[in-house]
Amino acid sequence: MTEQETRRNRQARFEGLAHVVARPLHQYLLRRTNPDVVEDVLSETMLVLWRRIDDVPGLNAGSTPDPDDVLPWCYGVARGCLSNARRADGRRLRLVERLIRVQQRSATVAADHSDLHAALDGLGELDRELVRLWAWEGLAPSQIAEVTGLTPNAVSIRLHRAKKKLAVRLELTRKKAERSGHKADEGRSSQ
């Protein structure tokens, strides 16, 4: 048998199988999950059936498969695909919940550090990025150099100067707050 004949035979076997099992699998999935998910899971099931066409019990070349022979195995495949989809949904939901929590924490942190953000905004764009890469991402000057395209020496010098400017700006903010009669950390939580 040539490769082309093998492909045609495989395609004919799959089409015969799909003709017999598509509707029952669709009904099976409709009874077990949200209708919005059924088409995706059915597509994934059919893809697995295509890939494993040689493993389907009771599927003979050239004849229409008997549903009683092929359906139980195909239901097993659909069940596995549905389980995979449910696990993926669970992971997606946990990720969304985690992102929401992080976003809420970020909003709280941003409110708690408004003076820091204001001081950072007073730096130039490159200096601000150097400080963020150093402080927030925990990168060393040689790593920051790789990110920014600067030399490690240039990063060290610019970072040193940027941190000094930042310290001066934060000190001015603190003194201004004290002169107005408020302590710099008044009204903020100690977290």
Side-chain angles (χ1 to χ4, degrees):
M1 202 182 264
T2 68
E3 189 177 321
Q4 190 175 18
E5 289 173 335
T6 303
R7 265 190 257 137
R8 269 190 254 139
N9 181 22
R10 181 180 174 93
Q11 184 172 349
R13 289 172 65 210
F14 177 75
E15 287 173 359
L17 178 66
H19 181 72
V20 169
V21 301
R23 185 178 199 88
L25 289 176
H26 189 267
Q27 294 299 317
Y28 171 88
L29 293 168
L30 273 174
R31 287 186 289 271
R32 283 162 179 78
T33 190
N34 184 337
D36 297 337
V37 178
V38 168
E39 295 300 323
D40 291 337
V41 176
L42 181 60
S43 296
E44 185 65 29
T45 303
M46 297 308 280
L47 181 61
V48 171
L49 293 177
W50 168 255
R51 287 181 185 150
R52 298 193 55 200
I53 193 77
D54 295 330
D55 298 335
V56 179
L59 187 61
N60 301 319
S63 65
T64 302
D66 181 0
D68 291 336
D69 293 339
V70 295
L71 266 174
W73 194 84
C74 294
Y75 284 143
V77 171
R79 184 173 181 258
C81 290
L82 182 58
S83 293
N84 289 342
R86 286 179 175 153
R87 280 192 301 276
D89 266 353
R91 285 190 301 270
R92 248 189 315 278
L93 286 173
R94 286 189 301 276
L95 177 61
V96 167
E97 289 169 356
R98 192 170 2 151
L99 289 172
I100 289 170
R101 284 193 308 271
V102 166
Q103 188 177 23
Q104 288 170 342
R105 269 186 279 171
S106 294
T108 303
V109 169
D112 290 343
H113 299 293
S114 58
D115 51 346
L116 174 62
H117 289 286
L120 272 171
D121 289 341
L123 298 176
E125 181 63 34
L126 181 57
D127 289 343
R128 190 169 42 243
E129 182 63 9
L130 294 176
V131 170
R132 287 177 180 159
L133 288 169
W134 172 75
W136 294 349
E137 308 309 328
L139 298 181
S142 60
Q143 294 169 316
I144 295 171
E146 193 174 325
V147 172
T148 61
L150 298 171
T151 65
N153 191 42
V155 168
S156 293
I157 292 168
R158 289 190 74 116
L159 186 59
H160 177 73
R161 290 179 183 162
K163 288 192 289 185
K164 276 180 129 175
K165 286 180 190 175
L166 194 59
V168 168
R169 292 178 184 274
L170 286 170
E171 183 63 23
L172 288 173
T173 303
R174 187 187 62 77
K175 285 183 180 178
K176 190 187 286 185
E178 285 177 358
R179 270 186 268 135
S180 68
H182 301 286
K183 291 183 180 176
D185 62 349
E186 190 173 288
R188 295 200 180 128
S189 69
S190 60
Q191 294 178 0

